[in-house]
Amino acid sequence: MPSPSGGSHLWPPRWPFGHFPPYSMLTARFVLAAVLLGGLWMARSRERIQLRDAGLFVLLGIMQPGLYFVCETEGLLRTSASVASLIIASIPVFVAVLASIFLRERISTRGAVGIGLTLVGVALLVKNGSEAPGAVVSSLAGNLLVLGAALCASIYTIVSRSLGARYGSLTVTTLQAFCALLFFLPFAVAEWDGRWIKGVSTEALAAVIFLGLFASLLAFLLYNQGLRSLPASTVSVFINLIPVVTVLTAFVVLGERLSVGQIGGGCLVVAGVVLSSRGRQTATGRGRAKEWLKAVSKRGTAYRGLALGAAEQHIEGAAAPVPGAGGGKGEHEPL
């Protein structure tokens, strides 16, 4: 399941973005996503939006990608990517707590162990990864900003899960993209000076289009669809696949070498995700089995009631007076 965070954003990017200002790049991504999703929604969905849910849709777009990207971007300027990765990896923990409070979801033992494995795996990936040259030292302000980003992503997951019970994933993702566009637009206007456009290369433009299609459109669409089918605590564990995808992408595309620690950490993350998913499937299977046994029990009770009623009717019918009988005195009328 693709992550809504967009992949490898915690590590210094090596894509040829040129002089693209950050918020202008985000705005361009969501302009593309909003236009495509809006057209698709008009052609295939057109769900009616309840007025009472308008605030939740706005909150969805503000939390993720809005405040999430702001807090994460500003936090990475003040702390190291390693510490930021570990804080972001705590999102499944926050989601599990919030889901138990607001959605009344219960996390299984396997799910809890799976979350723990992903945290250890991310720690190994970070410990064995190399920091970029000139990386900043971790600071309290930066860590708090990244923690705020993790909380925003957790709130978004809970809100999306709630809206997914009433709307399709296309509707949720479309309105989320438009709200995100409106959120980033003032930031893009504030950093606009027009001169950076001359420094944007064709490769940089292609990279932004790629992020708009896959990170801003497809990833959010699939993530919201997943939240309609699975508990929030289960879906959020997949977020910890981000550093795994990052390391593998760097290995395949950039030719970076993998250390034993990175391979081990990646295996732990994958194992944790699989364990959490299997734990949910087992719990779901048990729940369905209990419902089936309950239904069978009810049917059995109904069948027993019908059989008892038929037996009583048969007995009453057998005890009924026979035509021509002598009123119980042992005498019969002549035939």
Side-chain angles (χ1 to χ4, degrees), residues 56-121:
L56 289 177
F57 280 110
V58 173
L59 179 64
L60 190 73
I62 290 177
M63 289 292 107
Q64 173 82 308
L67 287 176
Y68 175 87
F69 277 101
V70 173
C71 291
E72 184 189 63
T73 301
E74 296 299 324
L76 284 171
L77 296 176
R78 297 168 175 83
T79 191
S80 65
S82 299
V83 175
S85 300
L86 292 175
I87 296 175
I88 293 298
S90 66
I91 289 176
V93 179
F94 293 133
V95 171
V97 173
L98 293 176
S100 66
I101 297 173
F102 296 102
L103 302 178
R104 297 182 180 179
E105 292 183 0
R106 296 179 61 183
I107 184 170
S108 64
T109 303
R110 287 188 178 185
V113 173
I115 291 175
L117 284 177
T118 62
L119 291 174
V120 174

Side-chain angles (χ1 to χ4, degrees), residues 11-333:
W11 275 259
R14 299 189 182 181
W15 284 63
F17 288 113
H19 300 284
F20 245 116
Y23 293 109
S24 297
M25 181 182 67
L26 286 169
T27 301
R29 284 172 50 180
F30 283 97
V31 165
L32 177 61
V35 169
L36 293 178
L37 285 169
L40 189 61
W41 184 84
M42 290 293 293
R44 300 190 58 180
S45 180
R46 296 194 182 188
E47 279 187 289
R48 183 176 181 181
I49 309 301
Q50 300 293 328
L51 185 60
R52 61 186 176 89
D53 292 327
L56 289 177
F57 280 110
V58 173
L59 179 64
L60 190 73
I62 290 177
M63 289 292 107
Q64 173 82 308
L67 287 176
Y68 175 87
F69 277 101
V70 173
C71 291
E72 184 189 63
T73 301
E74 296 299 324
L76 284 171
L77 296 176
R78 297 168 175 83
T79 191
S80 65
S82 299
V83 175
S85 300
L86 292 175
I87 296 175
I88 293 298
S90 66
I91 289 176
V93 179
F94 293 133
V95 171
V97 173
L98 293 176
S100 66
I101 297 173
F102 296 102
L103 302 178
R104 297 182 180 179
E105 292 183 0
R106 296 179 61 183
I107 184 170
S108 64
T109 303
R110 287 188 178 185
V113 173
I115 291 175
L117 284 177
T118 62
L119 291 174
V120 174
V122 171
L124 285 175
L125 284 170
V126 170
K127 182 177 181 299
N128 290 275
S130 58
E131 289 285 356
V136 298
V137 179
S138 176
S139 68
L140 178 61
N143 293 343
L144 289 176
L145 283 168
V146 178
L147 180 63
L151 289 173
C152 288
S154 303
I155 294 172
Y156 149 72
T157 301
I158 300 301
V159 175
S160 178
R161 170 71 174 168
S162 177
L163 289 172
R166 300 187 292 277
Y167 302 97
S169 57
L170 179 58
T171 298
V172 173
T173 311
T174 300
L175 291 179
Q176 178 186 6
F178 275 100
C179 290
L181 174 59
L182 293 176
F183 179 90
F184 288 125
L185 189 58
F187 291 94
V189 172
E191 68 182 8
W192 179 269
D193 61 7
R195 292 177 295 179
W196 59 268
I197 296 182
K198 298 179 180 179
V200 176
S201 64
T202 304
E203 291 180 336
L205 186 60
V208 173
I209 293 175
F210 175 86
L211 290 175
L213 291 176
F214 291 95
S216 299
L217 192 157
L218 186 61
F220 278 110
L221 184 62
L222 294 178
Y223 191 80
N224 289 331
Q225 177 63 33
L227 285 169
R228 297 189 70 224
S229 308
L230 296 171
S233 56
T234 300
V235 175
S236 63
V237 178
F238 285 82
I239 292 176
N240 284 345
L241 288 174
I242 292 175
V244 179
V245 174
T246 300
V247 171
L248 290 177
T249 303
F251 173 74
V252 175
V253 178
L254 302 177
E256 294 186 356
R257 300 177 63 180
L258 299 180
S259 66
V260 176
Q262 287 176 317
I263 295 174
C267 291
L268 281 178
V269 172
V270 174
V273 171
V274 172
L275 186 62
S276 297
S277 302
R278 287 179 62 85
R280 171 60 190 171
Q281 291 172 1
T282 301
T284 303
R286 289 175 181 173
R288 290 177 179 174
K290 289 181 180 179
E291 292 178 0
W292 181 80
L293 289 174
K294 188 176 180 180
V296 169
S297 177
K298 287 182 178 180
R299 289 182 181 179
T301 303
Y303 291 151
R304 286 195 297 271
L306 289 174
L308 181 60
E312 291 176 349
Q313 184 178 3
H314 176 71
I315 293 173
E316 291 176 357
V322 179
K329 296 181 181 180
E331 300 177 357
H332 300 277
E333 295 181 359

